[in-house]
Amino acid sequence: SQKIEQNSEALNIQEGKTATLTCNYTNYSPAYLQWYRQDPGRGPVFLLLIRENEKEKRKERLKVTFDTTLKQSLFHITASQPADSATYLCALSQGGSYIPTFGRGTSLIVHP
Amino acid sequence: EPEVTQTPSHQVTQMGQEVILRCVPISNHLYFYWYRQILGQKVEFLVSFYNNEISEKSEIFDDQFSVERPDGSNFTLKIRSTKLEDSAMYFCASSETSKGSGANVLTFGAGSRLTVL
């Protein structure tokens, strides 16, 4: 069956460090992958999109990598701040449908 | 910045009652979606809508659900006879691009929390 796996345990890091979140998938052939941020009681907010033929994408302090051989994406936040504390969702879209399917997300807590 | 607006923010209803959740998508977006998130669980796709008809739906979107675009701005989700397990946060989303462009970025609303008693 198709699965999108994100670490269910919260990631706790100190302010200023780099946070790295993982998204693994099985039985998908995604055309692209997205990362969204979700704050409690709010809707997801789009952060970055990376296509199947791209290895890496950057936006300010954010970086995402995509390895279709390993079936994995890594999401990095450099110089993390307490305001980065949120749940980060990985979403895959397959060719033909393009409807994003979300993982459960990983909670990031950045301590001052 | 354009946003997707949803009403109500919270609705409490009795089991078996009909509920209508409303959404105003971003004005130049052509594709509309409903997702739901049961407390503590993942965001799940319900239905997508384009050109005044359903383009895709999930197994969750059974006969008790329906969607409508009654005018040029609103997009509604109706649950005909609510069940306890329908309690969730319902998110409306919209996107401007087509399937062919391969960059279906969704803008979500803040959600409507439905509590079924």
Side-chain angles (χ1 to χ4, degrees), chain A residues 3-93:
Chain A
K3 285 184 186 176
I4 302 171
E5 295 177 336
Q6 296 186 254
N7 197 338
S8 58
E9 286 186 21
L11 178 63
N12 285 271
I13 64 169
Q14 286 300 124
E15 183 175 9
K17 300 294 187 184
T18 296
T20 298
L21 306 174
T22 305
C23 175
N24 295 299
Y25 59 91
T26 53
N27 295 319
Y28 275 98
S29 296
Y32 54 89
L33 183 150
Q34 302 178 60
W35 284 89
Y36 287 75
R37 168 183 173 141
Q38 187 176 28
D39 290 284
R42 308 291 294 176
V45 175
F46 169 73
L47 296 174
L48 278 171
L49 179 148
I50 187 165
R51 292 182 167 80
E52 60 179 333
N53 59 350
E54 297 175 318
K55 295 289 186 190
E56 182 179 297
K57 249 328 187 13
R58 290 175 185 262
K59 179 183 174 185
E60 298 172 352
R61 294 185 297 113
L62 309 180
K63 184 179 86 171
V64 62
T65 63
F66 194 13
D67 189 327
T68 54
T69 302
L70 290 179
K71 298 187 185 302
Q72 180 181 79
S73 174
L74 299 179
F75 178 77
H76 308 271
I77 306 175
T78 58
S80 59
Q81 304 164 0
D84 295 327
S85 299
T87 297
Y88 291 86
L89 311 177
C90 162
L92 301 184
S93 295

Side-chain angles (χ1 to χ4, degrees), chain B residues 12-30:
Chain B
V12 181
T13 190
Q14 294 291 325
M15 192 169 54
Q17 294 296 304
E18 177 182 284
V19 161
I20 297 176
L21 306 178
R22 292 182 167 79
C23 169
V24 179
I26 292 174
S27 59
N28 65 335
H29 285 186
L30 301 176

Side-chain angles (χ1 to χ4, degrees), chain A residues 32 34 38 97-98 100 104, chain B residues 35 37 40 56 99 102 104 106:
Chain A
Y32 54 89
Q34 302 178 60
Q38 187 176 28
S97 167
Y98 298 105
R104 290 193 64 162
Chain B
Y35 282 76
Q37 187 174 31
E56 283 191 57
K99 291 181 180 183
N104 201 18
L106 271 57

Side-chain angles (χ1 to χ4, degrees), chain B residues 7-103:
Chain B
T7 54
S9 57
H10 189 192
Q11 178 146 2
V12 181
T13 190
Q14 294 291 325
M15 192 169 54
Q17 294 296 304
E18 177 182 284
V19 161
I20 297 176
L21 306 178
R22 292 182 167 79
C23 169
V24 179
I26 292 174
S27 59
N28 65 335
H29 285 186
L30 301 176
Y31 297 82
F32 315 122
Y33 311 84
W34 285 101
Y35 282 76
R36 80 171 185 191
Q37 187 174 31
I38 295 170
L39 189 63
Q41 298 190 25
K42 64 180 181 179
V43 176
E44 300 175 289
F45 170 70
L46 294 178
V47 66
S48 63
F49 193 85
Y50 170 69
N51 201 25
N52 283 320
E53 60 182 24
I54 291 173
S55 51
E56 283 191 57
K57 61 182 181 179
S58 71
E59 291 177 355
I60 304 169
F61 193 87
D62 61 22
D63 291 345
Q64 70 158 343
F65 291 95
S66 62
V67 289
E68 195 176 39
R69 188 157 164 81
D71 53 45
S73 60
N74 289 286
F75 178 49
T76 63
L77 174 69
K78 182 192 290 186
I79 309 174
R80 238 175 294 281
S81 176
T82 50
K83 306 172 194 167
L84 295 177
E85 54 265 37
D86 293 328
S87 295
M89 184 76 103
Y90 287 81
F91 293 110
C92 175
S94 65
S95 67
E96 63 178 319
T97 56
S98 67
K99 291 181 180 183
S101 75

